Amino acid sequence: MKIILIGFMGSGKSTVAKEISQQLKLPILEMDEIAYQKTNTYNMHELFAKGGESLLRQTEISIAQEYALVKRVVISTGGGVVLTPTTMEHLKKSNGKVFFLNASFPTIADRLKSDTSRPLYQNKIEAEALFCYRQPLYLKYSDYVINVDKKTIQEIAREILEQITMLI
Ligand code: S3P
């Protein structure tokens, strides 16, 4: 089972991926972490300083390509993977099922209000514009939409697992 979690920054992809990988005993792929390894950087600010957003997007393509044939994995993507069609094509290979963790912008803004780790979340106004621009892309690429506002990690994981059980 190849499970791909997409969604805006702060939608809970990493936390939900950990929960699902534990429950299903599947390995986890954290795309941002692999991107640091591949670019010899230790965080997103450093990666952006080295090659800007384009370095991240190129790196995301090669990670998705490397994992295209992996059939047992939970992939926690970076929030911007939907900007690159090639990345999404590779992610969806090997029967990958894409789950969109759909959080409202107020939820995101509340979660990220004191977070300084994300180069593309510098202020609320610009972030909201990015959010609106990306929303149709998340919907376009998702096989399932999971609304996550006001839900616990366990509730979100259970919804995803229910969908997966119906596939088996
Ligand atoms: C980004 C999201 C981040 C990270 C980078 C760019 C984006 O991942 O890949 O800062 O473009 O939305 P998270 O969604 O895990 O924060």
Short mmCIF file of all heavy atoms in Angstrom, two decimals, residues 87-114:
data_model
loop_
_atom_site.label_atom_id
_atom_site.label_comp_id
_atom_site.label_asym_id
_atom_site.label_seq_id
_atom_site.Cartn_x
_atom_site.Cartn_y
_atom_site.Cartn_z
N THR A 87 6.26 15.56 -10.44
CA THR A 87 6.36 15.00 -9.09
C THR A 87 5.09 14.22 -8.77
O THR A 87 5.15 13.07 -8.29
CB THR A 87 6.54 16.14 -8.04
OG1 THR A 87 7.74 16.82 -8.35
CG2 THR A 87 6.60 15.60 -6.62
N MET A 88 3.94 14.78 -9.08
CA MET A 88 2.69 14.10 -8.76
C MET A 88 2.52 12.82 -9.59
O MET A 88 2.04 11.82 -9.08
CB MET A 88 1.49 15.05 -8.98
CG MET A 88 1.45 16.24 -8.02
SD MET A 88 1.65 15.80 -6.26
CE MET A 88 0.27 14.68 -5.98
N GLU A 89 2.96 12.88 -10.85
CA GLU A 89 2.88 11.66 -11.68
C GLU A 89 3.68 10.52 -11.06
O GLU A 89 3.21 9.39 -10.96
CB GLU A 89 3.43 11.92 -13.08
CG GLU A 89 2.43 12.55 -14.03
CD GLU A 89 3.13 13.15 -15.25
OE1 GLU A 89 4.17 12.61 -15.67
OE2 GLU A 89 2.62 14.19 -15.74
N HIS A 90 4.91 10.83 -10.63
CA HIS A 90 5.76 9.79 -10.02
C HIS A 90 5.15 9.30 -8.70
O HIS A 90 5.14 8.10 -8.42
CB HIS A 90 7.16 10.33 -9.75
CG HIS A 90 7.98 10.52 -10.98
ND1 HIS A 90 8.11 9.55 -11.95
CD2 HIS A 90 8.73 11.57 -11.40
CE1 HIS A 90 8.89 10.00 -12.91
NE2 HIS A 90 9.28 11.23 -12.61
N LEU A 91 4.64 10.22 -7.91
CA LEU A 91 4.07 9.82 -6.61
C LEU A 91 2.90 8.86 -6.80
O LEU A 91 2.71 7.92 -6.04
CB LEU A 91 3.63 11.05 -5.81
CG LEU A 91 4.75 11.92 -5.23
CD1 LEU A 91 4.18 13.19 -4.60
CD2 LEU A 91 5.56 11.15 -4.19
N LYS A 92 2.11 9.12 -7.83
CA LYS A 92 0.90 8.30 -8.02
C LYS A 92 1.19 6.92 -8.61
O LYS A 92 0.31 6.06 -8.65
CB LYS A 92 -0.09 9.05 -8.92
CG LYS A 92 -0.91 10.10 -8.17
CD LYS A 92 -1.84 10.83 -9.12
CE LYS A 92 -2.83 11.73 -8.42
NZ LYS A 92 -4.15 11.13 -8.18
N LYS A 93 2.43 6.72 -9.09
CA LYS A 93 2.77 5.41 -9.66
C LYS A 93 2.68 4.31 -8.61
O LYS A 93 2.65 4.60 -7.41
CB LYS A 93 4.17 5.46 -10.28
CG LYS A 93 4.17 6.13 -11.63
CD LYS A 93 5.56 6.18 -12.23
CE LYS A 93 5.54 7.05 -13.47
NZ LYS A 93 6.86 7.55 -13.82
N SER A 94 2.72 3.05 -9.03
CA SER A 94 2.61 1.89 -8.14
C SER A 94 1.34 1.97 -7.30
O SER A 94 1.34 1.69 -6.10
CB SER A 94 3.83 1.77 -7.22
OG SER A 94 5.00 1.68 -7.96
N ASN A 95 0.25 2.42 -7.94
CA ASN A 95 -1.05 2.47 -7.29
C ASN A 95 -1.07 3.36 -6.05
O ASN A 95 -1.76 3.07 -5.07
CB ASN A 95 -1.49 1.04 -6.93
CG ASN A 95 -3.00 0.92 -6.85
OD1 ASN A 95 -3.72 1.77 -7.40
ND2 ASN A 95 -3.47 -0.09 -6.15
N GLY A 96 -0.30 4.44 -6.08
CA GLY A 96 -0.28 5.37 -4.95
C GLY A 96 -1.64 6.05 -4.78
O GLY A 96 -2.24 6.47 -5.76
N LYS A 97 -2.09 6.08 -3.54
CA LYS A 97 -3.38 6.74 -3.26
C LYS A 97 -3.09 8.06 -2.53
O LYS A 97 -2.40 8.09 -1.50
CB LYS A 97 -4.27 5.87 -2.36
CG LYS A 97 -4.68 4.57 -3.03
CD LYS A 97 -5.61 4.81 -4.21
CE LYS A 97 -5.95 3.52 -4.93
NZ LYS A 97 -6.02 3.66 -6.38
N VAL A 98 -3.65 9.13 -3.08
CA VAL A 98 -3.34 10.46 -2.57
C VAL A 98 -4.46 10.97 -1.67
O VAL A 98 -5.62 11.07 -2.09
CB VAL A 98 -3.11 11.45 -3.74
CG1 VAL A 98 -2.85 12.86 -3.21
CG2 VAL A 98 -1.95 10.98 -4.62
N PHE A 99 -4.09 11.28 -0.43
CA PHE A 99 -5.04 11.83 0.54
C PHE A 99 -4.70 13.30 0.79
O PHE A 99 -3.59 13.61 1.17
CB PHE A 99 -4.96 11.06 1.88
CG PHE A 99 -5.51 9.67 1.79
CD1 PHE A 99 -4.72 8.63 1.31
CD2 PHE A 99 -6.82 9.40 2.17
CE1 PHE A 99 -5.22 7.35 1.22
CE2 PHE A 99 -7.33 8.12 2.10
CZ PHE A 99 -6.53 7.09 1.62
N PHE A 100 -5.70 14.15 0.57
CA PHE A 100 -5.53 15.59 0.80
C PHE A 100 -6.02 15.91 2.21
O PHE A 100 -7.21 15.75 2.51
CB PHE A 100 -6.33 16.34 -0.28
CG PHE A 100 -6.52 17.81 -0.04
CD1 PHE A 100 -5.57 18.57 0.67
CD2 PHE A 100 -7.63 18.46 -0.55
CE1 PHE A 100 -5.76 19.94 0.88
CE2 PHE A 100 -7.82 19.83 -0.35
CZ PHE A 100 -6.89 20.56 0.37
N LEU A 101 -5.10 16.34 3.06
CA LEU A 101 -5.49 16.78 4.40
C LEU A 101 -5.94 18.24 4.29
O LEU A 101 -5.12 19.15 4.16
CB LEU A 101 -4.33 16.64 5.39
CG LEU A 101 -3.73 15.23 5.52
CD1 LEU A 101 -2.78 15.17 6.72
CD2 LEU A 101 -4.81 14.16 5.66
N ASN A 102 -7.23 18.42 4.30
CA ASN A 102 -7.83 19.72 4.00
C ASN A 102 -8.12 20.49 5.29
O ASN A 102 -9.07 20.20 6.00
CB ASN A 102 -9.12 19.48 3.20
CG ASN A 102 -9.78 20.76 2.75
OD1 ASN A 102 -9.11 21.79 2.55
ND2 ASN A 102 -11.09 20.71 2.57
N ALA A 103 -7.24 21.46 5.57
CA ALA A 103 -7.44 22.32 6.75
C ALA A 103 -7.88 23.70 6.25
O ALA A 103 -7.45 24.13 5.17
CB ALA A 103 -6.14 22.44 7.52
N SER A 104 -8.72 24.39 7.01
CA SER A 104 -9.11 25.75 6.60
C SER A 104 -7.95 26.71 6.87
O SER A 104 -7.07 26.41 7.69
CB SER A 104 -10.35 26.19 7.38
OG SER A 104 -9.98 26.35 8.74
N PHE A 105 -7.97 27.86 6.20
CA PHE A 105 -6.85 28.78 6.43
C PHE A 105 -6.77 29.27 7.88
O PHE A 105 -5.66 29.34 8.43
CB PHE A 105 -6.86 29.96 5.44
CG PHE A 105 -5.58 30.75 5.57
CD1 PHE A 105 -4.39 30.22 5.10
CD2 PHE A 105 -5.56 31.96 6.24
CE1 PHE A 105 -3.19 30.91 5.27
CE2 PHE A 105 -4.37 32.65 6.41
CZ PHE A 105 -3.18 32.12 5.92
N PRO A 106 -7.87 29.59 8.55
CA PRO A 106 -7.75 30.00 9.96
C PRO A 106 -7.05 28.94 10.83
O PRO A 106 -6.25 29.27 11.70
CB PRO A 106 -9.20 30.20 10.40
CG PRO A 106 -9.93 30.56 9.14
CD PRO A 106 -9.25 29.76 8.05
N THR A 107 -7.33 27.67 10.56
CA THR A 107 -6.65 26.59 11.32
C THR A 107 -5.15 26.62 11.05
O THR A 107 -4.33 26.55 11.98
CB THR A 107 -7.24 25.21 10.92
OG1 THR A 107 -8.60 25.18 11.30
CG2 THR A 107 -6.50 24.06 11.59
N ILE A 108 -4.78 26.74 9.78
CA ILE A 108 -3.36 26.79 9.40
C ILE A 108 -2.69 27.99 10.08
O ILE A 108 -1.61 27.86 10.67
CB ILE A 108 -3.23 26.97 7.86
CG1 ILE A 108 -3.94 25.87 7.09
CG2 ILE A 108 -1.78 27.17 7.44
CD1 ILE A 108 -3.18 24.65 6.81
N ALA A 109 -3.32 29.15 9.94
CA ALA A 109 -2.72 30.38 10.46
C ALA A 109 -2.53 30.28 11.97
O ALA A 109 -1.51 30.73 12.51
CB ALA A 109 -3.61 31.57 10.12
N ASP A 110 -3.47 29.67 12.64
CA ASP A 110 -3.35 29.51 14.09
C ASP A 110 -2.18 28.58 14.44
O ASP A 110 -1.37 28.87 15.31
CB ASP A 110 -4.67 28.98 14.64
CG ASP A 110 -4.67 29.00 16.15
OD1 ASP A 110 -4.36 30.07 16.71
OD2 ASP A 110 -4.93 27.94 16.76
N ARG A 111 -2.07 27.47 13.70
CA ARG A 111 -0.99 26.51 13.98
C ARG A 111 0.39 27.08 13.70
O ARG A 111 1.36 26.73 14.37
CB ARG A 111 -1.17 25.25 13.13
CG ARG A 111 -2.33 24.39 13.60
CD ARG A 111 -2.34 23.11 12.79
NE ARG A 111 -3.56 22.37 13.04
CZ ARG A 111 -3.98 21.35 12.31
NH1 ARG A 111 -3.26 20.96 11.26
NH2 ARG A 111 -5.07 20.72 12.60
N LEU A 112 0.48 27.93 12.66
CA LEU A 112 1.82 28.39 12.23
C LEU A 112 2.16 29.80 12.73
O LEU A 112 3.17 30.37 12.31
CB LEU A 112 1.94 28.34 10.71
CG LEU A 112 1.78 26.95 10.06
CD1 LEU A 112 2.05 27.02 8.57
CD2 LEU A 112 2.69 25.91 10.72
N LYS A 113 1.34 30.34 13.64
CA LYS A 113 1.53 31.75 13.98
C LYS A 113 2.90 32.07 14.58
O LYS A 113 3.42 33.16 14.37
CB LYS A 113 0.39 32.29 14.85
CG LYS A 113 0.17 31.63 16.18
CD LYS A 113 -1.00 32.34 16.90
CE LYS A 113 -1.28 31.74 18.26
NZ LYS A 113 -1.98 30.44 18.21
N SER A 114 3.50 31.14 15.29
CA SER A 114 4.83 31.46 15.82
C SER A 114 5.91 30.54 15.23
O SER A 114 6.97 30.35 15.82
CB SER A 114 4.82 31.41 17.35
OG SER A 114 4.21 30.22 17.76
#
